[in-house]
């Protein structure tokens, strides 16, 4: 492990917290020192939940290490059962507590509690948060689910949504609606909203819908082998993927597919003249593997963007992402170091980033618009409104998410480009005030403006100096490609032995790189 300012994934016990917090009637007893007790902050502040996470801690301190920390765990476990009366308990250690090797699972087994107690073995120094969600849910399903008679009508389990998930709450609603349109019932949704009793009846469904492979693929594979339940492989994010998902589900359920895409608002825009502004925009994608794979397809095939780079931070899916990158003709970036991601973005100089909360900050520093498409996310990406990313309505939401930053970027650029116009100059006032606007003589020299910082512009190399007329011309270039234009011009000047960059040098460099 390493200390870092930002991290894409926490340790695996955070993944276990996400499963426990999404469920009801389940309690997590975590052997952890003081300082590892941050579940309240994660779930109540960022996700804006209306109740505390179902997690109890031993919260031992340094002075306790020379005493009986095992007894502290037993006391915390008994207190948690007595207070909350859960249907089941999960127990484990945080990354720090793992070092003292107290074996919470073994200790819990000796206590004879009257409910199932499921031990978690989460190797904190080899694996991370998404592994923690996947392994925790797998252990819960393995401990509680059993083969049973199928429901009278064809039904499915929706598996994978957890606490702190990117739009999981609304994705459940959207996928449920698509299944119901085909006459397929939903037996259990898990982990989110499920109780241990619900997990116990998962075997009654005819198949499983694997919504988020990062969180439930191990459970889906176990259910296929042990419960005889096949599971879906397509994640319905984007128009094409939603159609493929409906066809796959219909085949599994033995029912005719139904495509109620009347709610879609994207196709008409894609056929309009306005959409030509978006065609060929260079985008870079980074996030969890599932969302990156789906969004790459939507960006290229449905929006007409050019994917210039993609990657993921969860190494368990590195093989999938490398295969995808090969199909798109780019090199995959598999890393959990945001500085490597920032370097890749700076070198590629895309016109838009599709990423996580981290890439949103990177985009701000580089002056590149960013649309958040994947966890980890911050509070603004848990909207109070209905905002799925799966299904037909999800396609509308993603369409807005991708288009708005580019359109607003174009508007900002146009306003800046026409800032010397007699109607739009700074002294004219707001145009909607009418009489408040005053015309400026076209012969009047424009008032000098303070020089704004240029986005993603590094200091000129060597002794190169930008002349004032060239700097003014450079600021007319859209902000999302200005940094690349500046770097290319300086590189061109160095190669030509030019020490002062004029307007002529700027356009010579542009012509050179356009060949």
């Amino acid at each position: 492990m390493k200390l870092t300012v930002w991290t894409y994934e926490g340790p695996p016990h955070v993944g276990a917290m996400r499963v426990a917090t999404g469920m009801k009637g389940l309690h997590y007893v975590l052997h952890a020192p003081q300082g590892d007790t941050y579940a309240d902050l994660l779930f109540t502040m960022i996700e804006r939940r209306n109740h505390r996470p179902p997690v109890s801690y031993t919260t031992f301190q340094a002075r306790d290490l020379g005493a009986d920390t095992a007894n502290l765990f037993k006391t915390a476990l008994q207190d948690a059962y007595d207070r909350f009366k859960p249907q089941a308990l999960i127990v484990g250690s945080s990354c720090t507590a793992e070092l003292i090797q107290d074996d919470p699972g073994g200790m819990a087994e000796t206590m004879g509690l009257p409910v199932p107690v499921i031990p978690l073995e989460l190797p904190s120094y080899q694996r991370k948060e998404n592994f923690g969600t996947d392994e925790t849910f797998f252990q819960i399903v393995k401990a509680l689910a059993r083969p049973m008679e199928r429901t009278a009508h064809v039904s499915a389990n929706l598996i994978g949504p957890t606490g702190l998930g990117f739009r999981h709450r609304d994705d459940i609603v959207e996928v449920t609606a698509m299944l119901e349109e085909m006459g397929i019932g939903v037996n259990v949704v898990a982990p989110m909203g499920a109780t241990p009793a619900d997990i116990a009846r998962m075997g009654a469904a005819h198949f499983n819908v694997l919504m988020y492979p990062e969180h439930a693929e191990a459970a889906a594979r176990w259910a296929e082998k042990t419960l005889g339940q096949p599971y879906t492989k397509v994640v319905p994010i984007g128009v094409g993927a939603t159609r493929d998902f409906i066809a796959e589900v219909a085949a599994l359920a033995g029912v005719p597919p139904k495509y109620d895409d009347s709610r879609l608002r994207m196709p008409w825009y894609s056929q309009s003249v306005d959409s030509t502004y978006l065609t060929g925009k260079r985008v870079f994608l980074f996030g969890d593997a599932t969302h990156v794979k789906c969004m790459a397809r939507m960006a290229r095939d449905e929006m007409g963007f050019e994917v210039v780079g993609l990657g993921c931070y969860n190494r368990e899916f590195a093989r999938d992402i490398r295969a995808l990158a090969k199909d798109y003709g780019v090199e995959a970036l598999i890393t959990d170091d945001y500085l490597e991601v920032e370097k890749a973005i700076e070198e590629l100089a895309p016109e838009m980033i599709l990423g996580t909360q981290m890439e949103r900050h990177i985009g701000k520093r580089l002056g590149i618009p960013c649309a958040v498409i994947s966890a980890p996310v911050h509070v603004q990406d848990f909207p109070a409104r209905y905002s799925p990313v799966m299904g037909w309505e999800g396609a509308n939401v993603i369409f807005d998410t991708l288009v708005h930053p580019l359109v607003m970027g174009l508007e900002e650029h146009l306003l800046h480009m026409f800032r010397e116009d007699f109607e739009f100059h700074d002294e004219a006032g707001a145009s909607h005030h009418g009489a408040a606007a005053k015309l400026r003589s076209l012969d009047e020299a424009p008032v000098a403006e303070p020089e704004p910082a240029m986005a993603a512009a590094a200091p000129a190399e060597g002794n190169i100096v930008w002349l004032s007329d060239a700097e003014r011309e450079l600021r007319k270039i859209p902000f999302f490609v200005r940094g690349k234009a500046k770097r290319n011009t300086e590189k061109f000047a160095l190669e030509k032995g030019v020490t002062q960059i004029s307007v002529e040098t700027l356009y010579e460099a542009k012509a050179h790189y356009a060949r």
Side-chain angles (χ1 to χ4, degrees):
M1 296 180 71
K2 62 181 178 181
L3 295 175
T4 182
V5 178
W6 290 342
T7 182
Y8 289 100
E9 294 184 89
H13 71 266
V14 174
M17 285 182 189
R18 292 177 61 180
V19 172
T21 302
M23 292 183 65
K24 300 174 182 177
L26 179 77
H27 200 82
Y28 184 21
V29 179
L30 182 63
H31 199 25
Q34 205 168 30
D36 278 2
T37 56
Y38 41 74
D40 283 4
L41 178 68
L42 284 173
F43 296 98
T44 58
M45 186 188 80
I46 295 178
E47 195 175 5
R48 300 191 288 189
R49 295 183 67 88
N50 60 359
H51 58 274
R52 292 190 60 210
V55 183
S56 294
Y57 308 89
T58 55
T59 57
F60 59 83
Q61 302 177 48
R63 65 173 178 264
D64 298 319
L65 293 177
D68 188 2
T69 54
N71 191 55
L72 286 175
F73 173 79
K74 289 182 178 181
T75 302
L77 181 60
Q78 187 66 53
D79 289 347
Y81 173 75
D82 293 340
R83 179 180 177 186
F84 299 105
K85 293 293 190 293
Q87 296 178 20
L89 288 150
I90 54 176
V91 298
S93 298
S94 73
C95 47
T96 313
E98 186 181 323
L99 297 173
I100 62 176
Q101 299 181 330
D102 270 342
D103 186 20
M107 289 186 287
E109 191 175 353
T110 66
M111 294 180 62
L113 294 174
V115 296
V117 180
I118 303 163
L120 301 177
E121 296 292 338
L122 304 176
S124 298
Y125 298 92
Q126 289 82 40
R127 310 304 287 269
K128 292 196 172 182
E129 182 178 328
N130 280 327
F131 169 82
T133 60
D134 190 49
E135 178 66 14
T136 300
F137 184 55
F138 164 62
Q139 292 297 341
I140 292 171
V141 172
K142 182 180 176 184
L144 301 177
R146 294 291 180 268
M148 60 179 59
E149 187 178 349
R150 305 292 193 220
T151 56
H153 293 90
V154 63
S155 66
N157 299 316
L158 309 187
I159 60 174
T162 69
L164 283 181
F166 182 61
R167 311 292 172 82
H168 288 194
R169 175 199 67 192
D170 298 338
D171 285 350
I172 292 170
V173 177
E174 192 69 16
V175 173
T176 299
M178 286 193 293
L179 295 179
E180 289 178 347
E181 286 170 1
M182 290 186 284
I184 302 169
V186 172
N187 180 51
V188 172
V189 178
M192 185 172 283
T195 64
D198 292 329
I199 301 295
R201 59 184 181 85
M202 281 181 60
H206 293 74
F207 64 97
N208 288 313
V209 172
L210 178 57
M211 296 177 66
Y212 310 100
E214 282 85 356
H215 308 316
E217 187 166 10
R221 292 179 183 276
W222 180 88
E224 183 177 49
K225 180 179 179 181
T226 308
L227 306 180
Q229 294 172 325
Y231 65 93
T232 59
K233 310 300 190 298
V234 179
V235 177
I237 296 178
V239 177
T242 298
R243 293 183 183 278
D244 292 347
F245 171 78
I246 289 173
E248 181 184 29
V249 165
L252 288 174
V255 300
K258 289 187 179 179
Y259 303 97
D260 181 17
D261 56 2
S262 59
R263 290 179 291 157
L264 273 178
R265 295 181 177 88
M266 185 177 74
W268 72 266
Y269 187 89
S270 300
Q271 297 169 16
S272 72
V273 67
D274 288 345
S275 71
T276 58
Y277 167 68
L278 305 174
T279 304
K281 291 296 182 186
R282 303 172 69 255
V283 297
F284 178 90
L285 298 96
F286 195 84
D288 70 56
T290 294
H291 286 87
V292 166
K293 286 192 287 187
C294 294
M295 292 304 302
R297 176 181 177 179
M298 191 172 185
R300 183 185 68 178
D301 300 343
E302 298 171 21
M303 300 295 295
F305 295 157
E306 178 189 356
V307 175
V308 297
L310 57 83
C312 73
Y313 55 78
N314 43 341
R315 296 179 183 275
E316 293 88 350
F317 291 82
R319 181 177 298 177
D320 291 350
I321 292 298
R322 288 196 177 100
L324 179 72
K326 186 176 181 181
D327 181 52
Y328 280 71
V330 298
E331 186 175 348
L333 178 62
I334 312 297
T335 182
D336 58 2
D337 186 342
Y338 65 91
L339 294 176
E340 289 185 28
V341 178
E342 182 169 2
K343 182 181 178 183
I345 293 172
E346 195 166 7
E347 290 175 351
L348 290 167
E351 293 163 275
M352 187 179 188
I353 306 166
L354 309 180
T356 72
Q357 174 69 11
M358 253 78 90
E359 283 66 50
R360 175 189 275 145
H361 288 300
I362 290 170
K364 286 179 181 176
R365 285 202 302 277
L366 299 179
I368 303 172
C370 177
V372 173
I373 61 160
S374 162
V377 293
H378 205 12
V379 63
Q380 64 264 50
D381 297 301
F382 290 100
R385 68 187 182 279
Y386 182 62
S387 189
V389 294
M390 290 188 179
W392 306 123
E393 190 60 29
N396 290 332
V397 170
I398 296 171
F399 173 64
D400 285 343
T401 301
L402 302 190
V403 168
H404 288 169
L406 290 173
V407 172
M408 294 309 293
L410 174 63
E411 180 177 289
E412 180 180 330
H413 167 57
L414 291 175
L415 289 173
H416 186 72
M417 189 168 70
F418 290 106
R419 68 189 184 281
E420 300 300 340
D421 187 274
F422 75 92
E423 185 179 0
F424 298 112
H425 67 90
D426 292 339
E427 296 175 15
S431 59
H432 64 277
H433 287 161
K438 58 178 183 177
L439 297 182
R440 182 170 65 192
S441 170
L442 296 180
D443 298 327
E444 181 184 336
V447 178
E449 296 179 353
E451 301 293 323
M454 280 176 266
E461 298 184 37
N463 296 317
I464 291 179
V465 175
W466 281 78
L467 300 178
S468 58
D469 61 340
E471 285 192 333
R472 282 194 297 273
E473 196 67 19
L474 181 64
R475 286 197 299 276
K476 294 179 182 178
I477 297 173
F479 66 91
F480 39 79
V481 290
R482 192 180 299 150
K484 183 175 182 181
K486 186 175 189 291
R487 289 191 295 273
N488 283 348
T489 304
E490 289 168 0
K491 180 181 177 182
F492 176 81
L494 283 172
E495 291 173 352
K496 298 296 183 182
V498 175
T499 58
Q500 292 186 336
I501 296 178
S502 64
V503 173
E504 290 75 18
T505 311
L506 179 62
Y507 280 97
E508 286 174 10
K510 179 182 178 182
H512 173 76
Y513 286 105
R515 290 175 192 148

